[in-house]
């Protein structure tokens, strides 16, 4: 049974309008936030800097991540209570969640992230400053280990799970579900301070990452690989190195001193989206023996 098609014979497919309230509400929050910042000419980076000055990085981190982490539980309640859908079908088409897939994806991307970072640290040490402060890092570590997996899991359950399944059922098109959710995922980052610092081309990275996560979800008939990747990306990044121009500004081990355009240049973004992620996609395809790419990514959503 395929990831989207498994819902065709359930009550969920008969009440597609139920996908609208939660989706419109959550996406509407981001649209309102972006419009508010634009019309009031407010710099999101300046807001974060002021909040850190008033409350410190740990409280700022908590205020940033707690609201979206709480949506994890709201989505679960909506899916179970309102839509009467099983959590298993939201996560995977398998008979049970494959935790080994989650662990493998997490480990691979964590290893790649660490290799890239330590290469940068070795080749350009002047761009990084050791930032370790045990009194500040320990409470941040505890918060990060709990809240970041909730945040990333919600984003995957909503984007590559709930929204992809809903759009797939409504449009009967896997390709439409992939493209739409990838674009929405990218645009939800448009208010991040790095967009203002670097330019809108950074959205290529976010949309490209959304495409990658959507592909591995459709090809693997489940969210496990996407869940592991996203958790590793945010958790390792937040703990290891941050800067004063990103959405996450934490008590990490290192602080990056290079300018935004040096750190995330167009070449860096295109390398990540055009080379690193496709190579990782090939690795997953090899390990899990994916076949029938055309149908799985572009085929119609029909009963099998």
């Amino acid at each position: 049974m395929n990831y989207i098609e498994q819902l065709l014979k359930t009550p969920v497919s008969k009440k597609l309008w139920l996908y609208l309230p939660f989706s419109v509400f959550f996406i509407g929050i981001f649209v309102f936030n972006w419009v508010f910042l634009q019309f009031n000419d407010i710099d999101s980076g300046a807001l974060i800097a002021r909040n850190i000055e008033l409350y410190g990085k740990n409280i700022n981190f908590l205020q940033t991540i707690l609201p979206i982490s709480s949506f994890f539980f709201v989505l679960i309640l909506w899916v179970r209570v309102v839509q009467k859908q099983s959590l298993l079908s939201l996560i995977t088409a398998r008979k049970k969640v494959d935790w080994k897939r989650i662990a493998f994806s997490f480990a691979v991307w964590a290893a790649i992230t660490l290799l890239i970072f330590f290469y940068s640290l070795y080749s350009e040490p002047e761009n990084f400053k050791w930032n370790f402060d045990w009194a500040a890092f320990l409470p941040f570590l505890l918060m990060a280990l709990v809240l970041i997996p909730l945040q990333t899991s919600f984003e995957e359950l909503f984007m590559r799970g709930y929204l992809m399944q809903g759009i797939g059922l409504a449009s009967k098109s896997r390709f439409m579900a992939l493209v739409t959710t990838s674009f929405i995922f990218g645009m939800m980052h448009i208010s991040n301070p790095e967009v203002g610092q670097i330019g809108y081309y950074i959205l290529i990275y976010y949309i490209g990452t959304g495409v990658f996560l959507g592909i591995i979800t459709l090809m693997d008939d489940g969210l496990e690989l996407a869940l592991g990747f996203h958790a590793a990306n945010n958790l390792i990044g937040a703990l290891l190195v941050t800067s004063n121009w990103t959405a996450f500004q934490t008590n990490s081990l290192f602080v990056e001193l290079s300018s935004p355009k040096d750190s995330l240049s167009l070449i860096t973004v295109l390398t990540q989206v055009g080379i690193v992620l496709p190579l990782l996609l090939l690795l997953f395809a090899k390990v899990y023996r994916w076949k029938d790419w055309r149908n799985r990514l572009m085929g119609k959503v029909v009963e099998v």
Side-chain angles (χ1 to χ4, degrees), residues 69-82:
S69 297
S70 65
F71 272 105
F72 173 85
F73 302 101
V74 177
L75 177 61
I76 288 176
L77 283 173
W78 181 268
V79 169
R80 290 292 295 119
V81 177
V82 178

Side-chain angles (χ1 to χ4, degrees), residues 27 30 34 45 97 147 153-154 181 185 245 277-278:
I27 296 173
F30 285 83
W34 182 78
V97 176
L147 295 176
S153 294
F154 165 70
T181 54
F185 179 73
W245 44 265
L277 293 183

Side-chain angles (χ1 to χ4, degrees), residues 11 55 84 86 110 114 119 123 155 217 237 243 253 261 286 293:
Y55 305 110
K84 310 296 183 183
S86 71
L114 290 170
Y119 172 77
S123 60
E155 290 185 11
T217 297
S243 65
L253 296 177
K261 290 188 177 180
K286 179 71 173 178
W293 288 69

Side-chain angles (χ1 to χ4, degrees), residues 99-114:
W99 292 97
K100 290 183 178 179
R101 273 175 156 82
I102 297 175
F104 177 70
S105 180
F106 183 98
V108 169
W109 189 242
I112 292 173
T113 301
L114 290 170

Side-chain angles (χ1 to χ4, degrees), residues 132 138 217 267 279 282:
F132 180 71
L138 180 58
T217 297
I267 294 176
L279 287 175
L282 291 176

Side-chain angles (χ1 to χ4, degrees), residues 6-295:
Q6 65 176 324
L7 298 177
L8 285 173
K9 295 182 180 180
T10 68
V12 173
S13 65
K14 309 301 180 183
K15 297 181 179 180
L16 293 179
W17 65 269
L18 286 176
Y19 281 94
L20 288 174
F22 185 90
S23 301
V24 171
F25 172 72
F26 182 73
I27 296 173
I29 292 174
F30 285 83
V31 173
F32 174 81
N33 182 58
W34 182 78
V35 171
F36 179 81
L37 292 175
Q38 295 300 309
F39 275 83
N40 291 278
D41 196 25
I42 297 174
D43 184 348
S44 59
L47 284 178
I48 293 173
R50 188 193 313 169
N51 208 42
I52 291 175
E53 184 179 353
L54 289 173
Y55 305 110
K57 287 186 175 180
N58 282 348
I59 297 300
N60 179 71
F61 170 76
L62 191 62
Q63 292 175 339
T64 300
I65 199 171
L66 192 57
I68 195 168
S69 297
S70 65
F71 272 105
F72 173 85
F73 302 101
V74 177
L75 177 61
I76 288 176
L77 283 173
W78 181 268
V79 169
R80 290 292 295 119
V81 177
V82 178
Q83 296 200 195
K84 310 296 183 183
Q85 179 182 348
S86 71
L87 294 182
L88 181 63
S89 66
L90 181 66
I91 299 170
T92 184
R94 283 172 273 275
K95 293 182 179 180
K96 61 181 180 179
V97 176
D98 190 338
W99 292 97
K100 290 183 178 179
R101 273 175 156 82
I102 297 175
F104 177 70
S105 180
F106 183 98
V108 169
W109 189 242
I112 292 173
T113 301
L114 290 170
L115 285 172
I116 292 173
F117 169 75
F118 283 114
Y119 172 77
S120 299
L121 180 63
Y122 173 78
S123 60
E124 298 176 307
E126 69 278 4
N127 288 338
F128 301 92
K129 181 180 75 171
W130 178 246
N131 186 55
F132 180 71
D133 177 353
W134 182 255
F137 181 77
L138 180 58
F140 166 60
L141 173 64
L142 296 176
M143 288 189 293
L145 289 175
V146 174
L147 295 176
I148 289 181
L150 286 177
Q151 173 237 333
T152 58
S153 294
F154 165 70
E155 290 185 11
E156 290 310 310
L157 288 172
F158 177 64
M159 283 291 169
R160 259 66 60 176
Y162 187 76
L163 210 55
M164 180 173 281
Q165 288 181 335
I167 294 172
L169 290 173
S171 66
K172 301 297 183 183
S173 169
R174 289 166 161 258
F175 183 71
M176 181 64 71
L178 171 62
V179 171
T180 306
T181 54
S182 300
F183 178 77
I184 293 173
F185 179 73
M187 297 307 293
M188 284 177 65
H189 294 81
I190 197 169
S191 296
N192 285 16
E194 53 264 34
V195 176
Q197 290 283 339
I198 299 169
Y200 286 109
Y201 72 76
I202 189 62
L203 293 175
I204 297 172
Y205 166 76
Y206 293 118
I207 295 174
T209 302
V211 171
F212 165 76
L213 291 168
I215 289 174
I216 64 177
T217 297
L218 291 175
M219 290 302 302
D220 202 50
D221 282 325
L223 287 173
E224 290 95 336
L225 295 177
L227 286 167
F229 173 94
H230 204 157
N233 186 74
N234 287 28
L235 184 60
I236 300 302
L239 293 173
L240 189 61
V241 58
T242 55
S243 65
N244 63 2
W245 44 265
T246 57
F248 273 176
Q249 296 179 34
T250 67
N251 286 300
S252 54
L253 296 177
F254 291 87
V255 172
E256 186 174 5
L257 304 176
S258 58
S259 69
K261 290 188 177 180
D262 289 334
S263 178
L264 288 172
S265 66
L266 182 58
I267 294 176
T268 303
V269 170
L270 293 178
T271 299
Q272 176 92 338
V273 174
I275 298 177
V276 178
L277 293 183
L279 287 175
L280 183 57
L281 184 64
L282 291 176
L283 172 64
F284 287 152
K286 179 71 173 178
V287 171
Y288 297 110
R289 301 177 181 179
W290 294 340
K291 298 178 180 178
D292 195 18
W293 288 69
R294 181 179 179 83
N295 181 60

